[in-house]
Amino acid sequence: MLRDQLLRPTPNELSDFLNLHLRVGGCLVQIAGECEVLYHGRAMSMAEAGNYLVIIKCDGSVMVHGPKSVKPINWQPRTDE
C-alpha cells in the first residue's frame, strides 16, 4: 500500500518526510534519485554521486542499489547509522 510520496522534494521536504515516516515504523521507504554514500562504521564504504535506489526497510536496515546488478552496492544492518 502506498501511503505517501514526494516528487522532486527540496532537501528540507525530504528530511521532514523521512523523519515522519521512519518514526511511525512499519514503513518500507524507497528513494530514487541522485545521491552519494559515505559510511563510517566497522568498515568504511563510499559510492560517488550517481543515480541510486535507496531502500530503508521496516527493521531499520538500509540498502543502496545502483543501475546495474542484483546485489546492492552498499547495505547497512539496522544497528549502523
Side-chain angles (χ1 to χ4, degrees):
M1 170 173 72
L2 181 64
R3 291 186 187 178
D4 203 352
Q5 68 178 349
L6 292 177
L7 300 173
R8 296 184 178 90
T10 66
N12 287 338
E13 290 171 335
L14 179 58
S15 178
D16 291 345
F17 181 88
L18 292 174
N19 284 331
L20 172 67
H21 291 289
L22 294 176
R23 237 181 288 143
V24 169
C27 290
L28 175 71
V29 176
Q30 300 176 73
I31 304 163
E34 186 175 351
C35 59
E36 61 185 87
V37 175
L38 300 170
Y39 171 72
H40 302 276
R42 44 190 171 82
M44 183 180 158
S45 64
M46 61 183 267
E48 293 183 10
N51 292 318
Y52 298 107
L53 172 63
V54 179
I55 300 171
I56 305 170
K57 294 180 160 188
C58 301
D59 65 1
S61 60
V62 177
M63 293 188 302
V64 180
H65 285 272
K68 298 179 181 177
S69 185
V70 174
K71 293 183 180 182
I73 61 163
N74 191 284
W75 68 274
Q76 310 304 328
R78 68 182 176 96
T79 58
D80 293 341
E81 294 182 22

